[in-house]
Amino acid sequence: MDEEDYVMEDSVVNSTEVNGNRPESTVDPTMITLHAKKDRLPILSHTEPVRGSSRLAFPNESLEHPFALGAASAGLSSDSLQDSSSDEMDLTSPTPSNVQVRIPPPPTYPPLRYSSSKTGVVYDPRMRFHSEPDDMISRPDDIHPEDPRRIYEIFQELQQAGLVPGDDESEEDTDPHQCWRIEARPAIRGEICLIHTPKHYEFIRGLSDKTLAELIALGHEHDSIYFNESTFACAKLAVGGAIEACRAVVRGDVRNAIAIIRPPGHHAESEAPSGFCIFNNVPIAARVCQKDFPDKCRKVLILDWDVHHGNGVQHAFYEDPNVLYISLHVFKNGTFYPNLPDADYDYCGEGQGVGRNVNIPWEDHGMGDAEYMYAFQQVVMPVATEFDPDLVLVSAGFDAAEGDVLGGCHVTPACYGHMTHMLMSLAEGKIAVCLEGGYNLRSIARSALAVTRTLMLQPPDRLDEDIGSPNDSCVRTIELVKREQSKHWKCFYPKYLNKHDPSFFATQRLHEVIREWQSKVLGDEHQMTPLAIRRPLIAETFEHNVIATPQFMERRPLLVIFHDPPEFMNLADAVTGKTDLHNSWLTDVVKSYIDWAIKNDFEVIDVNIPKVVAIEDDDGGYIRADSKEVRVSQTRELAGYLWENYIEPNDATQVFLMGVGPAYLGLLDLLSNSENCTEADSVIQCLIGFVADTVIQSIKRATDDNIASWYYNHSLVFVASTHHVWEPTRQRKIRKKYGKLKKSQCNNLNEMLVEHQDEVKEYLLRKKSEFEESEMETKLADDIRSGLRSPPLPSGSNTPRPNNVEARPGSVPASLRSPKMPQVGYFTVSNSPRSPRSPMKRTF
């Protein structure tokens, strides 16, 4: 069988030594690169990438393939070397009689063998021959993002920083603190087919025989890819470079390594190239190391910080318990490349590999240092530490770097350095960083430099002092990942319920329990009862969420409160994360407003706007709260229903609306859309709002030019001190149409409710007192005009209250109550023939 066709799928390698067993102090020549000097290909300028149909060649003078030792002396041509010798494996290669090898220098201090070793660097300019054909370029400035200059810019940055020796420097002149050059070599078929199918390998090998037109046509047929005559050779070099970097690290020849290779690989599937990727470099290197060093490299961590999800890597190891794949990437609900649903957080592996796949899918672009550091601290390092790998491989795409338009994120070189530094604490420091994406030449060069310096044990640069906290989207994503992965990792607490739990049938979500309890408590204390909601879209949502005092339909002042559910706080067990009832509290400041209002002769309608409309199929998983826009829409719908059915047709003397949080905007929409709410004789006295992070909107009505003045005189809106409306740089002036805004010294809604409670109470009492005085003056004037004795004022009546409720000043005698609608929960029928039954308002 031809050695090129040798597949390592089920191979067992007993030894990789040249002449049988050897002392540990020696170095296997077949595992490292040649010592011979090479004639480098000319380095292209920054503005002249390699283009077109140039075929990649391997000159006899620059033999780099460690498995073709002695080829030059045998007189092999460059073509024969490329076609056959470059695909031979060290498993079957004969031992050459005379071999020169490049042996890394010994550690400076033998007792500190590992820490004093060098960092390895893989770079070969021949990988730049894979480039987009000129005929595919529509405009001179329309250069494909996967540009050959990517690896050149990185290597030049390292050379200019003095981290790697130049081509004109001899080995004797090399600084002992510089990196060690690990020569790339073409990977062989057997190695590549550890991940890819033979059909895929043959397809890529056949590209070398295609015409330019055929190559362009094939590129259009595949997903985000281009081909040229050198694609096969360059792709093999990229894979071989990754393999040699990893082998050198596992063997201990170098402390760690960075492989500056292209084309990238993490999108390449086992049977097809895609997303600029030909062969999947990192997974192949991982498999080769597992095969060649089973005693040293059993468990492998692959950390992918490329801004795109590495679908090819995930699919290669989805059922493998010995490879942990962690990917940080922009997901955007599956709308960002590669546009696959299995890049989401709930894809955790299958079979024996369940839990070995960790996706951290960002909801949008714009993530920066704060978000990536938070992800590393909360998810990456806890999981990686528990996994305890033997080798760490980094799929290092730098397209999340600041300045990369394709990625749209803002990770700085310092952050890349810190992430590398954290990963170096794993696997006794055995880490190999392999280049993936990254398309801003300056950004990737600076980022790779920071990573390389960190690998060389230089401390990472400090992060920006204004880094700030991770944004809400990041925190939400990380919590989702932790909840999902808590099923598989001990490091995540608490452990979350799921429908497969034996006790799941006996569970009930607390938001339902608490609202039913609140309704009962308010019923016991104030005889408040639920109001029936007869509108299909909101009926079930607001069951137990709309309750009212018994006399809310009578001639009395009415306070209508729209608010969020009460806040829940708990102190979880530090070890188990378990939440106990005795360490949990409800915070419901709104109830103190209800108690005060009823004590001061207000009727009350209490409206709780739930954060989730309905949970149709509750599987015990995490349910994201409705957006603020949805909750505003709910408030608007319900406020209109209550106004039309329970407030406007009845006899309330004054109506005070209070909106807490997003509910405030729904009440504002009610005032904007219902003209009878703002008429001169309207019973609505004011809108009291509490706003923390909700937008401030203006009242709008195209048919009323005076609506802004009315709203300013009938509103009191408390706004958090950190709200953007108070920013000094704000150019727009705060106008009357936004209402009477008052800056609060607090930022939390509950804190604001407590802080301004006295002010609101005073405001309500003043409005109530002004109305009563006006009513008294009107009745006295009517008495003087008529010369008749007026009936007793409402404040002097003693109306009996149902269920032994104590009568309150201001009650109206039963004979004078509005007959249009019965009391909620207390239905009576009068036998008096003079008892009015008309649903229309009386005019006396």
Side-chain angles (χ1 to χ4, degrees), residues 24-102:
E24 285 296 324
S25 59
T26 63
V27 178
D28 180 0
T30 67
M31 293 294 188
I32 54 179
T33 54
L34 292 175
H35 184 58
K37 289 290 290 181
K38 303 192 312 177
D39 292 334
R40 302 287 186 183
L41 291 179
I43 299 298
L44 301 180
S45 68
H46 290 241
T47 57
E48 296 179 359
V50 178
R51 288 274 172 226
S53 57
S54 299
R55 182 184 296 273
L56 176 57
F58 294 84
N60 291 337
E61 298 84 9
S62 58
L63 290 176
E64 295 189 357
H65 187 9
F67 307 114
L69 301 175
S73 60
L76 294 179
S77 66
S78 61
D79 290 339
S80 63
L81 178 60
Q82 180 180 0
D83 293 339
S84 60
S85 299
S86 64
D87 277 348
E88 294 177 2
M89 293 184 61
D90 58 307
L91 304 179
T92 56
S93 297
T95 304
S97 58
N98 184 18
V99 179
Q100 287 186 330
V101 298
R102 298 187 67 224

Side-chain angles (χ1 to χ4, degrees), residues 328-384:
L328 302 94
H329 53 269
V330 174
F331 182 58
K332 295 185 68 175
N333 198 28
T335 62
F336 191 67
Y337 191 86
N339 310 102
L340 298 176
D342 55 6
D344 209 353
Y345 70 92
D346 53 352
Y347 283 80
C348 305
E350 291 181 353
Q352 293 182 340
V354 66
R356 294 299 191 261
N357 195 86
V358 181
N359 286 326
I360 303 176
W362 302 130
E363 296 176 343
D364 206 346
H365 299 281
M367 302 300 174
D369 291 1
E371 289 73 31
Y372 274 76
M373 292 297 293
Y374 185 75
F376 257 70
Q377 293 166 351
Q378 294 292 315
V379 176
V380 174
M381 294 309 299
V383 171

Side-chain angles (χ1 to χ4, degrees), residues 819 830-838:
S830 173
N831 294 325
S832 171
R834 293 183 295 177
S835 177
R837 288 178 173 273
S838 171

Side-chain angles (χ1 to χ4, degrees), residues 72 82 87 111 153 178 231 368 404 512 571:
Q82 180 180 0
D87 277 348
E153 291 289 340
Q178 288 181 323
T231 294
D404 195 297
E512 299 172 355
L571 295 176

Side-chain angles (χ1 to χ4, degrees), residues 168-245:
D168 56 346
E169 297 183 47
S170 64
E171 185 175 343
E172 292 74 17
D173 298 333
T174 301
D175 190 320
H177 299 293
Q178 288 181 323
C179 295
W180 180 258
R181 285 289 298 277
I182 301 173
E183 302 296 342
R185 53 88 178 175
I188 63 173
R189 182 180 188 275
E191 293 169 332
I192 294 173
C193 288
L194 289 173
I195 295 296
H196 296 283
T197 62
K199 182 178 179 181
H200 174 61
Y201 177 86
E202 294 300 330
F203 169 75
I204 300 300
R205 182 165 67 169
L207 296 175
S208 303
D209 301 324
K210 303 291 183 183
T211 65
L212 181 59
E214 290 174 327
L215 291 171
I216 294 175
L218 287 173
H220 290 315
E221 291 175 5
H222 288 77
D223 179 21
S224 303
I225 201 76
Y226 64 78
F227 303 114
N228 74 351
E229 292 179 335
S230 297
T231 294
F232 176 57
C234 291
K236 288 198 301 178
L237 270 179
V239 175
I243 291 174
E244 289 309 307

Side-chain angles (χ1 to χ4, degrees), residues 407-478:
C409 292
H410 309 288
V411 181
T412 65
C415 183
Y416 282 116
H418 280 273
M419 291 191 292
T420 304
H421 186 264
M422 285 187 276
L423 293 173
M424 289 169 64
S425 66
L426 304 168
E428 298 181 342
K430 294 182 179 179
I431 176 174
V433 179
C434 301
L435 181 65
E436 294 286 357
Y439 309 104
N440 181 302
L441 299 181
R442 191 71 199 124
S443 295
I444 64 174
R446 293 176 61 242
S447 300
L449 175 63
V451 169
T452 306
R453 280 177 167 165
T454 305
L455 292 175
M456 296 175 70
L457 305 185
Q458 297 183 25
D461 291 339
R462 285 187 175 182
L463 297 171
D464 193 327
E465 60 182 9
D466 298 327
I467 183 176
S469 301
N471 60 40
D472 292 346
S473 175
C474 165
V475 174
R476 182 166 52 248
T477 298
I478 295 303

